Coordinates of all heavy atoms in Angstrom, one line a residue:
M1 N 57.3 72.2 101.5 CA 56.9 70.9 101.0 C 58.0 70.4 100.0 O 58.1 69.3 99.7 CB 55.6 71.0 100.4 CG 55.0 69.6 100.2 SD 55.0 68.4 101.5 CE 53.9 69.2 102.7
N2 N 58.8 71.3 99.4 CA 59.8 70.9 98.5 C 60.8 70.0 99.1 O 61.3 69.0 98.5 CB 60.5 72.1 97.9 CG 59.6 72.9 96.9 OD1 58.7 72.3 96.4 ND2 59.8 74.2 96.8
H3 N 61.2 70.2 100.4 CA 62.1 69.3 101.1 C 61.5 67.9 101.2 O 62.2 66.9 100.9 CB 62.4 69.9 102.4 CG 63.4 69.1 103.2 ND1 64.7 68.9 102.9 CD2 63.2 68.3 104.3 CE1 65.3 68.1 103.7 NE2 64.4 67.7 104.6
F4 N 60.3 67.8 101.5 CA 59.6 66.5 101.6 C 59.6 65.8 100.3 O 59.9 64.6 100.2 CB 58.2 66.8 102.1 CG 57.4 65.5 102.3 CD1 57.8 64.6 103.3 CD2 56.3 65.2 101.6 CE1 57.1 63.4 103.5 CE2 55.6 64.0 101.8 CZ 56.0 63.1 102.8
A5 N 59.3 66.5 99.2 CA 59.3 65.9 97.8 C 60.7 65.4 97.4 O 60.8 64.4 96.9 CB 58.8 67.0 96.8
R6 N 61.7 66.2 97.8 CA 63.1 65.8 97.5 C 63.4 64.5 98.3 O 64.0 63.6 97.7 CB 64.1 66.9 97.8 CG 64.1 68.0 96.8 CD 65.4 68.9 97.0 NE 65.6 69.3 98.3 CZ 65.1 70.4 98.9 NH1 64.3 71.2 98.1 NH2 65.3 70.8 100.1
L7 N 63.0 64.4 99.5 CA 63.3 63.3 100.3 C 62.6 62.0 99.7 O 63.2 61.0 99.6 CB 62.8 63.5 101.8 CG 62.9 62.3 102.7 CD1 64.4 62.0 102.9 CD2 62.2 62.6 104.0
V8 N 61.3 62.1 99.4 CA 60.6 61.0 98.8 C 61.2 60.6 97.5 O 61.2 59.4 97.2 CB 59.1 61.4 98.7 CG1 58.3 60.3 97.9 CG2 58.4 61.6 100.1
S9 N 61.6 61.5 96.7 CA 62.2 61.2 95.4 C 63.5 60.4 95.5 O 63.9 59.8 94.5 CB 62.4 62.5 94.6 OG 63.6 63.2 95.1
R10 N 64.0 60.3 96.6 CA 65.3 59.5 96.8 C 65.0 58.1 97.4 O 65.9 57.4 97.7 CB 66.2 60.3 97.7 CG 66.7 61.6 97.1 CD 67.6 62.3 98.0 NE 68.1 63.5 97.3 CZ 68.4 64.6 97.8 NH1 68.4 64.7 99.2 NH2 68.8 65.7 97.1
C11 N 63.7 57.8 97.6 CA 63.4 56.5 98.2 C 62.6 55.7 97.2 O 61.9 56.2 96.3 CB 62.5 56.8 99.4 SG 63.3 57.8 100.7
D12 N 62.6 54.4 97.4 CA 61.9 53.4 96.6 C 60.6 53.0 97.4 O 60.6 51.9 98.0 CB 62.7 52.2 96.3 CG 62.1 51.3 95.2 OD1 61.0 51.7 94.6 OD2 62.6 50.2 95.0
V13 N 59.7 53.9 97.5 CA 58.4 53.7 98.3 C 57.2 53.9 97.4 O 57.3 54.5 96.3 CB 58.3 54.6 99.5 CG1 59.5 54.3 100.5 CG2 58.4 56.1 99.1
G14 N 56.1 53.3 97.8 CA 54.9 53.5 97.0 C 53.8 54.3 97.8 O 52.9 54.9 97.2
V15 N 54.0 54.3 99.1 CA 53.1 55.0 100.0 C 53.9 55.7 101.1 O 54.8 55.1 101.7 CB 52.1 54.0 100.6 CG1 51.1 54.8 101.5 CG2 51.3 53.2 99.6
V16 N 53.5 56.9 101.4 CA 54.0 57.7 102.5 C 52.9 58.0 103.4 O 51.8 58.5 103.0 CB 54.8 58.9 102.0 CG1 55.2 59.8 103.2 CG2 56.0 58.5 101.2
A17 N 53.1 57.9 104.7 CA 52.1 58.3 105.7 C 52.6 59.5 106.5 O 53.7 59.5 107.0 CB 51.8 57.2 106.7
L18 N 51.8 60.5 106.5 CA 52.1 61.7 107.4 C 51.2 61.7 108.6 O 49.9 61.6 108.4 CB 51.8 63.0 106.6 CG 52.7 63.2 105.4 CD1 52.3 64.5 104.6 CD2 54.2 63.3 105.8
I19 N 51.7 61.6 109.7 CA 51.0 61.6 111.0 C 51.1 62.9 111.7 O 52.3 63.3 112.0 CB 51.4 60.4 111.9 CG1 51.3 59.1 111.1 CG2 50.7 60.3 113.2 CD1 51.9 57.9 111.7
F20 N 50.0 63.5 111.9 CA 50.0 64.8 112.6 C 49.5 64.7 114.0 O 48.5 63.9 114.2 CB 49.1 65.8 111.8 CG 49.6 66.0 110.4 CD1 49.0 65.3 109.4 CD2 50.5 67.0 110.1 CE1 49.4 65.5 108.1 CE2 51.0 67.2 108.8 CZ 50.4 66.4 107.8
E21 N 50.0 65.4 114.9 CA 49.5 65.5 116.3 C 48.2 66.2 116.3 O 48.1 67.3 115.9 CB 50.5 66.1 117.2 CG 50.1 66.2 118.7 CD 51.1 66.8 119.6 OE1 52.3 66.5 119.5 OE2 50.7 67.7 120.3
G22 N 47.2 65.5 116.7 CA 45.8 66.1 116.7 C 45.7 67.2 117.8 O 46.2 67.0 118.9
S23 N 45.1 68.3 117.5 CA 44.8 69.3 118.4 C 43.6 70.2 117.9 O 43.4 70.3 116.7 CB 46.0 70.2 118.7 OG 46.2 71.1 117.6
D24 N 42.9 70.7 118.8 CA 41.8 71.6 118.4 C 42.2 72.8 117.6 O 41.6 73.1 116.6 CB 41.0 72.1 119.6 CG 40.3 71.0 120.4 OD1 40.0 70.0 119.8 OD2 40.1 71.2 121.6
R25 N 43.3 73.3 117.9 CA 43.8 74.5 117.2 C 44.6 74.2 115.9 O 44.4 74.8 114.9 CB 44.8 75.3 118.1 CG 45.3 76.6 117.6 CD 46.2 77.2 118.6 NE 47.4 76.4 118.7 CZ 48.5 76.8 119.2 NH1 48.6 78.0 119.7 NH2 49.5 75.9 119.3
G26 N 45.3 73.0 115.9 CA 46.1 72.7 114.8 C 45.5 71.9 113.6 O 46.0 72.0 112.5
D27 N 44.5 71.2 113.9 CA 43.9 70.3 112.9 C 43.4 71.1 111.6 O 43.7 70.7 110.5 CB 42.7 69.5 113.4 CG 43.1 68.5 114.4 OD1 44.3 68.3 114.7 OD2 42.2 67.8 114.9
S28 N 42.8 72.2 111.8 CA 42.3 73.0 110.7 C 43.5 73.6 109.9 O 43.4 73.8 108.7 CB 41.4 74.1 111.1 OG 42.0 75.0 112.0
L29 N 44.6 73.9 110.6 CA 45.8 74.4 109.9 C 46.4 73.3 109.0 O 46.8 73.6 107.9 CB 46.8 75.0 110.9 CG 46.3 76.1 111.7 CD1 47.4 76.5 112.8 CD2 46.0 77.3 110.9
V30 N 46.5 72.1 109.5 CA 47.0 71.0 108.8 C 46.1 70.8 107.5 O 46.6 70.6 106.4 CB 47.1 69.7 109.6 CG1 47.4 68.5 108.7 CG2 48.1 69.9 110.7
E31 N 44.8 70.8 107.7 CA 43.9 70.5 106.6 C 44.0 71.6 105.6 O 43.9 71.4 104.4 CB 42.5 70.4 107.1 CG 42.3 69.1 107.9 CD 41.0 69.1 108.6 OE1 40.2 70.1 108.7 OE2 40.7 68.0 109.2
R32 N 44.3 72.9 106.0 CA 44.5 74.0 105.1 C 45.8 73.9 104.3 O 45.9 74.2 103.1 CB 44.4 75.3 105.9 CG 44.6 76.5 105.0 CD 44.9 77.8 105.8 NE 46.3 77.7 106.3 CZ 46.8 78.5 107.3 NH1 46.0 79.4 107.8 NH2 48.0 78.4 107.6
D33 N 46.9 73.5 105.0 CA 48.2 73.6 104.4 C 48.7 72.3 103.8 O 49.7 72.4 103.0 CB 49.2 74.0 105.5 CG 49.0 75.4 106.0 OD1 48.3 76.2 105.3 OD2 49.4 75.7 107.1
Y34 N 48.1 71.2 104.0 CA 48.5 69.9 103.5 C 47.4 69.3 102.7 O 46.5 68.6 103.2 CB 49.0 69.0 104.6 CG 50.2 69.4 105.2 CD1 50.2 70.2 106.3 CD2 51.5 68.9 104.7 CE1 51.4 70.6 106.9 CE2 52.6 69.3 105.3 CZ 52.6 70.2 106.4 OH 53.8 70.5 107.0
D35 N 47.3 69.6 101.4 CA 46.3 69.0 100.5 C 46.9 67.6 100.0 O 47.4 67.5 99.0 CB 46.0 69.9 99.3 CG 44.9 69.4 98.5 OD1 44.2 68.4 98.8 OD2 44.6 70.0 97.4
L36 N 46.7 66.6 100.9 CA 47.3 65.3 100.6 C 46.9 64.7 99.3 O 47.7 64.0 98.6 CB 47.0 64.4 101.8 CG 47.4 64.8 103.2 CD1 47.1 63.8 104.2 CD2 48.9 65.1 103.2
A37 N 45.6 64.9 98.9 CA 45.1 64.3 97.7 C 45.8 64.8 96.4 O 45.9 64.1 95.4 CB 43.6 64.5 97.6
S38 N 46.2 66.1 96.5 CA 46.8 66.7 95.3 C 48.3 66.7 95.3 O 49.0 67.3 94.4 CB 46.3 68.1 95.1 OG 46.8 68.9 96.1
M39 N 49.0 66.1 96.3 CA 50.4 66.0 96.3 C 50.9 65.2 95.2 O 50.5 64.0 95.0 CB 51.0 65.5 97.6 CG 50.9 66.4 98.8 SD 51.7 65.7 100.2 CE 51.6 67.0 101.3
D40 N 51.8 65.7 94.4 CA 52.3 64.9 93.2 C 53.7 64.5 93.5 O 54.7 65.2 93.1 CB 52.2 65.8 92.0 CG 52.6 65.1 90.7 OD1 52.5 63.8 90.7 OD2 53.1 65.7 89.8
L41 N 53.9 63.5 94.3 CA 55.2 63.0 94.7 C 55.6 61.8 93.8 O 54.8 60.9 93.5 CB 55.2 62.6 96.1 CG 54.9 63.6 97.2 CD1 54.8 63.1 98.6 CD2 55.8 64.8 97.1
K42 N 56.9 61.7 93.5 CA 57.4 60.6 92.7 C 58.6 60.0 93.5 O 59.3 60.7 94.1 CB 57.9 61.1 91.3 CG 56.9 61.9 90.5 CD 56.2 60.9 89.5 CE 55.4 61.7 88.5 NZ 54.0 61.9 88.8
N43 N 58.7 58.7 93.4 CA 59.8 58.0 94.0 C 61.0 58.0 93.1 O 61.0 58.6 92.1 CB 59.4 56.6 94.5 CG 59.1 55.6 93.4 OD1 59.5 55.8 92.2 ND2 58.4 54.5 93.7
I44 N 62.1 57.3 93.6 CA 63.3 57.3 92.9 C 63.2 56.6 91.5 O 64.0 56.9 90.6 CB 64.4 56.5 93.7 CG1 65.8 56.8 93.2 CG2 64.1 55.0 93.8 CD1 66.9 56.5 94.1
R45 N 62.2 55.8 91.3 CA 61.9 55.2 90.0 C 61.0 56.0 89.1 O 60.6 55.6 88.0 CB 61.3 53.8 90.2 CG 62.2 52.9 90.9 CD 61.5 51.5 91.2 NE 62.3 50.7 92.1 CZ 63.0 49.7 91.6 NH1 63.1 49.4 90.3 NH2 63.7 49.0 92.4
G46 N 60.6 57.2 89.6 CA 59.7 58.0 88.8 C 58.2 57.7 89.0 O 57.4 58.2 88.2
R47 N 57.9 56.7 89.8 CA 56.5 56.3 90.0 C 55.9 57.2 91.1 O 56.5 57.6 92.0 CB 56.5 54.9 90.4 CG 57.0 53.9 89.4 CD 56.8 52.5 89.8 NE 57.3 51.6 88.7 CZ 58.1 50.6 89.0 NH1 58.5 50.3 90.2 NH2 58.5 49.9 87.9
R48 N 54.5 57.4 90.9 CA 53.8 58.2 91.8 C 53.7 57.6 93.2 O 53.6 56.3 93.3 CB 52.3 58.4 91.3 CG 51.5 59.4 92.0 CD 50.2 59.6 91.4 NE 49.4 60.8 91.8 CZ 49.0 60.9 93.1 NH1 49.2 60.0 94.0 NH2 48.3 62.0 93.4
V49 N 53.8 58.4 94.2 CA 53.8 57.9 95.6 C 52.5 58.4 96.2 O 52.1 59.6 96.2 CB 55.0 58.5 96.4 CG1 54.8 58.1 97.9 CG2 56.3 58.0 95.8
E50 N 51.7 57.4 96.7 CA 50.4 57.8 97.4 C 50.7 58.4 98.8 O 51.6 57.9 99.5 CB 49.6 56.5 97.5 CG 48.3 56.7 98.2 CD 47.5 55.4 98.4 OE1 47.8 54.4 97.7 OE2 46.6 55.4 99.2
V51 N 50.0 59.4 99.1 CA 50.2 60.0 100.4 C 49.0 59.9 101.3 O 47.9 60.2 100.9 CB 50.5 61.5 100.3 CG1 50.8 62.2 101.6 CG2 51.7 61.8 99.4
E52 N 49.2 59.3 102.5 CA 48.1 59.1 103.4 C 48.4 60.0 104.6 O 49.5 60.2 105.0 CB 47.9 57.6 103.8 CG 47.6 56.7 102.7 CD 47.6 55.2 103.1 OE1 47.8 55.0 104.3 OE2 47.3 54.4 102.3
G53 N 47.3 60.5 105.2 CA 47.5 61.3 106.4 C 46.5 61.0 107.5 O 45.4 60.6 107.2
C54 N 46.9 61.2 108.7 CA 46.0 61.0 109.8 C 46.4 61.9 111.0 O 47.5 62.4 111.0 CB 45.9 59.6 110.2 SG 47.4 58.9 110.9
F55 N 45.5 62.0 111.9 CA 45.8 62.7 113.2 C 45.9 61.7 114.3 O 45.1 60.7 114.3 CB 44.6 63.7 113.5 CG 44.6 64.8 112.5 CD1 43.7 64.8 111.5 CD2 45.4 65.9 112.7 CE1 43.6 65.9 110.6 CE2 45.3 67.0 111.8 CZ 44.4 67.0 110.8
M56 N 46.8 61.9 115.2 CA 47.0 61.0 116.3 C 46.9 61.9 117.6 O 47.6 62.9 117.7 CB 48.4 60.3 116.3 CG 48.6 59.3 117.4 SD 50.2 58.5 117.2 CE 49.9 57.5 115.8
P57 N 46.2 61.5 118.6 CA 46.1 62.3 119.8 C 47.4 62.3 120.6 O 48.1 61.2 120.6 CB 44.9 61.6 120.6 CG 44.8 60.3 120.0 CD 45.3 60.3 118.6
K58 N 47.7 63.4 121.2 CA 48.9 63.5 122.0 C 48.9 62.4 123.1 O 49.9 61.9 123.5 CB 49.0 64.9 122.6 CG 50.1 65.1 123.6 CD 51.4 65.3 122.8 CE 52.5 65.8 123.8 NZ 53.7 65.8 123.2
G59 N 47.7 62.1 123.6 CA 47.6 61.2 124.7 C 48.0 59.8 124.3 O 48.2 58.9 125.2
A60 N 48.1 59.5 123.1 CA 48.6 58.2 122.6 C 50.0 57.9 123.1 O 50.4 56.7 123.2 CB 48.4 58.0 121.1
K61 N 50.8 59.0 123.3 CA 52.2 58.9 123.7 C 53.0 58.0 122.8 O 53.8 57.2 123.3 CB 52.3 58.4 125.2 CG 51.6 59.4 126.2 CD 52.0 59.1 127.6 CE 51.3 60.0 128.5 NZ 51.7 61.3 128.6
E62 N 52.7 58.1 121.5 CA 53.5 57.3 120.6 C 54.9 57.9 120.5 O 55.1 59.1 120.4 CB 52.8 57.3 119.2 CG 51.6 56.5 119.1 CD 52.0 55.0 119.2 OE1 53.0 54.5 118.7 OE2 51.2 54.3 119.9
P63 N 56.0 57.0 120.4 CA 57.3 57.5 120.3 C 57.6 58.5 119.2 O 58.3 59.5 119.3 CB 58.2 56.3 120.2 CG 57.3 55.2 120.7 CD 55.9 55.6 120.4
G64 N 57.0 58.3 118.0 CA 57.2 59.2 116.9 C 56.7 60.6 117.2 O 57.4 61.5 116.8
L65 N 55.6 60.7 117.9 CA 55.1 62.1 118.2 C 56.0 62.7 119.2 O 56.3 63.9 119.2 CB 53.7 62.0 118.8 CG 52.6 61.8 117.8 CD1 51.2 61.8 118.5 CD2 52.5 62.8 116.7
E66 N 56.6 61.9 120.2 CA 57.5 62.5 121.2 C 58.8 63.0 120.5 O 59.3 64.1 120.9 CB 57.7 61.4 122.3 CG 56.5 60.9 123.0 CD 55.7 62.0 123.7 OE1 56.4 63.0 124.2 OE2 54.5 62.0 123.7
V67 N 59.3 62.2 119.6 CA 60.5 62.6 118.9 C 60.3 63.9 118.1 O 61.1 64.8 118.1 CB 61.1 61.5 118.0 CG1 62.2 62.0 117.1 CG2 61.6 60.3 118.9
A68 N 59.1 63.9 117.4 CA 58.8 65.1 116.6 C 58.7 66.3 117.4 O 59.2 67.4 117.1 CB 57.5 64.8 115.8
D69 N 58.1 66.2 118.6 CA 58.0 67.3 119.5 C 59.4 67.8 119.9 O 59.7 69.0 119.9 CB 57.3 67.0 120.8 CG 55.8 67.1 120.7 OD1 55.3 67.7 119.7 OD2 55.0 66.7 121.6
L70 N 60.3 66.9 120.2 CA 61.6 67.3 120.6 C 62.3 68.0 119.5 O 62.9 69.1 119.7 CB 62.4 66.0 120.9 CG 63.9 66.2 121.2 CD1 64.1 67.0 122.5 CD2 64.6 64.9 121.2
I71 N 62.2 67.6 118.3 CA 62.8 68.2 117.1 C 62.2 69.6 116.9 O 63.0 70.6 116.7 CB 62.7 67.3 115.9 CG1 63.6 66.0 116.1 CG2 63.2 68.1 114.6 CD1 63.3 65.0 115.0
V72 N 60.9 69.7 116.8 CA 60.3 70.9 116.5 C 60.5 72.0 117.6 O 60.8 73.1 117.3 CB 58.7 70.7 116.3 CG1 58.0 72.0 116.3 CG2 58.5 69.9 115.1
H73 N 60.5 71.6 118.9 CA 60.7 72.6 119.9 C 62.1 73.0 119.9 O 62.4 74.2 120.1 CB 60.3 72.0 121.3 CG 58.8 71.8 121.4 ND1 57.9 72.8 121.4 CD2 58.1 70.7 121.6 CE1 56.7 72.4 121.5 NE2 56.8 71.1 121.6
T74 N 63.1 72.1 119.7 CA 64.5 72.5 119.6 C 64.7 73.4 118.4 O 65.4 74.4 118.6 CB 65.4 71.2 119.5 OG1 65.1 70.4 120.6 CG2 66.8 71.6 119.4
A75 N 64.2 73.1 117.3 CA 64.4 74.0 116.1 C 63.7 75.3 116.3 O 64.3 76.3 115.9 CB 63.8 73.3 114.9
G76 N 62.6 75.3 117.0 CA 61.9 76.6 117.2 C 62.7 77.5 118.1 O 62.7 78.8 118.0
R77 N 63.4 77.0 119.1 CA 64.2 77.8 120.0 C 65.5 78.4 119.3 O 66.0 79.4 119.7 CB 64.6 77.0 121.2 CG 63.5 76.8 122.2 CD 64.1 76.3 123.5 NE 64.7 74.9 123.4 CZ 64.0 73.8 123.6 NH1 62.7 73.8 123.9 NH2 64.6 72.6 123.5
T78 N 65.9 77.7 118.2 CA 67.1 78.2 117.6 C 66.8 79.0 116.3 O 67.8 79.6 115.7 CB 68.0 77.0 117.2 OG1 67.3 76.1 116.2 CG2 68.4 76.2 118.4
A79 N 65.6 79.1 115.9 CA 65.2 79.9 114.7 C 65.4 81.4 115.0 O 65.0 81.8 116.1 CB 63.8 79.6 114.3
P80 N 65.8 82.1 114.1 CA 66.0 83.6 114.3 C 64.6 84.2 114.4 O 63.6 83.8 113.8 CB 66.7 84.1 113.0 CG 66.6 83.0 112.0 CD 66.3 81.7 112.8
A81 N 64.5 85.2 115.2 CA 63.2 85.9 115.5 C 62.8 86.8 114.3 O 63.5 87.2 113.5 CB 63.3 86.7 116.8

Protein backbone atom coordinates (compact mmCIF):
# COMPACT_ATOMS: atom_id res chain seq x y z
CA MET A 1 0.00 0.00 0.00
CA ASN A 2 2.99 2.33 0.38
CA HIS A 3 3.31 2.57 -3.40
CA PHE A 4 -0.34 3.62 -3.64
CA ALA A 5 0.12 6.26 -0.91
CA ARG A 6 3.18 7.66 -2.74
CA LEU A 7 1.23 7.86 -5.98
CA VAL A 8 -1.70 9.70 -4.36
CA SER A 9 0.66 12.08 -2.57
CA ARG A 10 1.86 13.34 -5.96
CA CYS A 11 -1.64 14.19 -7.20
CA ASP A 12 -4.03 17.06 -6.52
CA VAL A 13 -7.11 14.93 -5.85
CA GLY A 14 -9.75 14.83 -3.13
CA VAL A 15 -11.22 11.39 -3.78
CA VAL A 16 -9.75 8.14 -5.09
CA ALA A 17 -11.86 5.18 -6.17
CA LEU A 18 -10.53 1.64 -5.99
CA ILE A 19 -12.48 -0.75 -8.18
CA PHE A 20 -11.99 -4.43 -7.53
CA GLU A 21 -13.06 -7.26 -9.79
CA GLY A 22 -15.81 -9.05 -7.91
CA SER A 23 -15.47 -12.78 -7.31
CA ASP A 24 -16.69 -15.29 -4.78
CA ARG A 25 -13.14 -16.16 -3.78
CA GLY A 26 -11.55 -12.71 -3.87
CA ASP A 27 -14.13 -10.40 -2.27
CA SER A 28 -13.35 -11.52 1.28
CA LEU A 29 -9.61 -11.13 0.65
CA VAL A 30 -10.11 -7.55 -0.56
CA GLU A 31 -12.25 -6.75 2.47
CA ARG A 32 -9.57 -8.25 4.72
CA ASP A 33 -6.58 -6.53 3.10
CA TYR A 34 -8.01 -3.12 2.16
CA ASP A 35 -9.46 -1.23 5.12
CA LEU A 36 -10.62 1.71 3.02
CA ALA A 37 -12.12 3.64 5.92
CA SER A 38 -8.83 3.80 7.78
CA MET A 39 -6.53 4.66 4.87
CA ASP A 40 -4.73 7.86 5.76
CA LEU A 41 -3.85 9.25 2.36
CA LYS A 42 -2.77 12.84 1.72
CA ASN A 43 -2.59 14.63 -1.62
CA ILE A 44 0.20 16.88 -2.90
CA ARG A 45 -1.23 19.77 -0.86
CA GLY A 46 -1.20 17.71 2.33
CA ARG A 47 -4.98 17.41 2.40
CA ARG A 48 -6.72 14.16 3.30
CA VAL A 49 -7.90 12.08 0.34
CA GLU A 50 -11.15 10.16 0.68
CA VAL A 51 -10.99 6.56 -0.55
CA GLU A 52 -14.02 4.86 -2.02
CA GLY A 53 -14.12 1.24 -3.06
CA CYS A 54 -16.47 -1.02 -4.91
CA PHE A 55 -16.67 -4.38 -6.62
CA MET A 56 -17.42 -4.70 -10.31
CA PRO A 57 -18.48 -7.99 -11.87
CA LYS A 58 -16.19 -9.45 -14.54
CA GLY A 59 -19.23 -9.73 -16.81
CA ALA A 60 -19.42 -5.94 -17.02
CA LYS A 61 -16.46 -6.14 -19.44
CA GLU A 62 -15.32 -2.67 -18.43
CA PRO A 63 -12.06 -1.64 -20.15
CA GLY A 64 -10.38 -0.81 -16.83
CA LEU A 65 -10.86 -4.35 -15.54
CA GLU A 66 -9.59 -5.81 -18.80
CA VAL A 67 -6.42 -3.68 -18.66
CA ALA A 68 -5.90 -4.58 -14.99
CA ASP A 69 -6.16 -8.29 -15.87
CA LEU A 70 -3.57 -7.86 -18.60
CA ILE A 71 -1.14 -6.12 -16.24
CA VAL A 72 -1.62 -8.50 -13.32
CA HIS A 73 -1.35 -11.66 -15.42
CA THR A 74 1.75 -10.35 -17.20
CA ALA A 75 3.39 -9.35 -13.91
CA GLY A 76 2.49 -12.71 -12.37
CA ARG A 77 4.23 -14.61 -15.17
CA THR A 78 7.43 -12.61 -14.73
CA ALA A 79 7.57 -12.73 -10.91
CA PRO A 80 10.25 -14.97 -9.44
CA ALA A 81 8.91 -18.20 -7.92
